[in-house]
Amino acid sequence: MGHGARHVAIIMDGNGRWAKKRFLPRVAGHKAGVEAVRRVTRAARELGVECLTLYAFSSENWKRPAEEVSDLMALLKYFIRADLDEFHANNVRLRIIGDYHALDPSAVEMIDAALERTAGNTGSTLVVALNYGAQDEMVRAMRSIGAQVASGTLAPDAISPEMISSHLDTAELPPLDLLIRTSGEKRLSNFLLWQAAYAELYFTDMLWPDFDADALGEALNSFAGRERRYGGR
Ligand code: FPP
């Protein structure tokens, strides 16, 4: 506690390299990645993080081989089946960002049931990004704002940063404080581009399947030690 980060987001990278180092198939890395998701969601709750957002499947991940895409979908369904009870028992609300209706119908059905079941929970929020891309999110928001302008119900001058934020998938979430990326890559990869405007960025060489409560604690400590000025001085 006392770290002050309300909203933490993670780009969970390095599953493939973790598997490769062990001469295992990529799917073994994704399975170990789900174990890390389990550890880190528990740790985040215990450390008092109000909202945790995980980049599970990007709008670009469809370009991966069909077998890997279907492995990831199967793991997502397994995760909901195996872990939803625990989240619900801990008063965690599940949210999705991204255009998840494009996933396979059985996944969409499970997700909708999970969203409905946890909608009334008031503890922390777990946000899973599925078929998410920040540019796609902004295009959807611009289309909706543009339609209001075109119909004459919205004056262009009424468009403000707050108004744009309220049209994004993250509309009701707390502002993003800390964005973590594992595996040594230093890119945002089309994740939360608008929301990251004033977020602190934290990069670690650790591969996602190795990430744990201590690693999250270290990231939160680093965040607590930073001075955020939001462009002021
Ligand atoms: C990046 O590793 C990871 C992904 C593309 C998927 C992340 C998914 C999970 C951790 C499991 C499913 C998630 C949930 C919430 C159940 P990579 O394959 O790009 O690794 P590499 O860069 O080393 O190849």
Side-chain angles (χ1 to χ4, degrees):
M1 307 279 169
H3 48 73
R6 295 177 66 199
H7 186 174
V8 176
I10 309 182
I11 301 175
M12 311 182 286
D13 197 7
N15 294 349
R17 277 161 286 167
W18 183 93
K20 195 171 181 192
K21 277 207 312 198
R22 287 163 179 76
F23 306 100
L24 293 169
R26 291 181 63 82
V27 65
H30 294 316
K31 281 183 187 157
V34 174
E35 297 302 319
V37 166
R38 190 169 278 147
R39 287 195 300 272
V40 171
T41 49
R42 279 183 192 144
R45 202 163 62 226
E46 282 159 14
L47 290 164
V49 173
E50 195 178 311
C51 180
L52 178 70
T53 299
L54 300 176
Y55 204 3
F57 194 83
S58 79
S59 47
E60 286 74 38
N61 283 154
W62 297 109
K63 292 183 222 151
R64 296 193 177 201
E67 192 190 333
E68 185 171 353
V69 171
S70 90
D71 285 341
L72 284 166
M73 290 303 141
L75 282 170
L76 172 71
K77 289 192 262 182
Y78 158 76
F79 175 71
I80 296 174
R81 244 189 326 267
D83 289 50
L84 189 67
D85 284 348
E86 180 180 329
F87 287 120
H88 190 50
N90 283 288
N91 201 18
V92 177
R93 187 174 61 136
L94 179 73
R95 290 280 307 265
I96 304 293
I97 57 171
D99 194 4
Y100 73 95
H101 289 101
L103 305 188
D104 84 74
S106 63
V108 174
E109 209 174 294
M110 282 183 78
I111 292 164
D112 283 336
L115 290 174
E116 196 177 281
R117 184 167 170 216
T118 63
N121 290 346
T122 52
S124 57
T125 303
L126 172 66
V127 184
V128 183
L130 289 172
N131 191 24
Y132 175 87
Q135 293 180 342
D136 174 66
E137 177 191 39
M138 285 192 238
V139 166
R140 287 185 282 109
M142 298 308 153
R143 283 183 183 151
S144 143
I145 294 169
Q148 292 174 55
V149 171
S151 73
T153 56
L154 180 71
D157 283 353
I159 300 173
S160 63
E162 294 73 25
M163 200 250 173
I164 292 175
S165 293
S166 76
H167 280 78
L168 298 176
D169 297 349
T170 51
E172 280 127 50
L173 305 176
L176 181 63
D177 293 311
L178 174 64
L179 176 58
I180 299 172
R181 182 171 191 148
T182 59
S183 93
E185 311 290 351
K186 295 180 180 69
R187 292 188 288 276
L188 295 184
S189 297
N190 203 16
F191 191 47
L192 301 177
L193 298 181
W194 172 275
Q195 296 84 345
Y198 289 104
E200 295 292 329
L201 307 181
Y202 181 88
F203 300 102
T204 170
D205 288 337
M206 196 177 262
L207 302 176
W208 174 250
D210 294 323
F211 204 83
D212 59 9
D214 286 347
L216 179 65
E218 240 174 82
L220 290 169
N221 277 339
S222 160
F223 174 81
R226 297 189 195 186
E227 190 194 346
R228 299 175 85 194
R229 291 197 294 270
Y230 301 95
R233 54 162 288 182

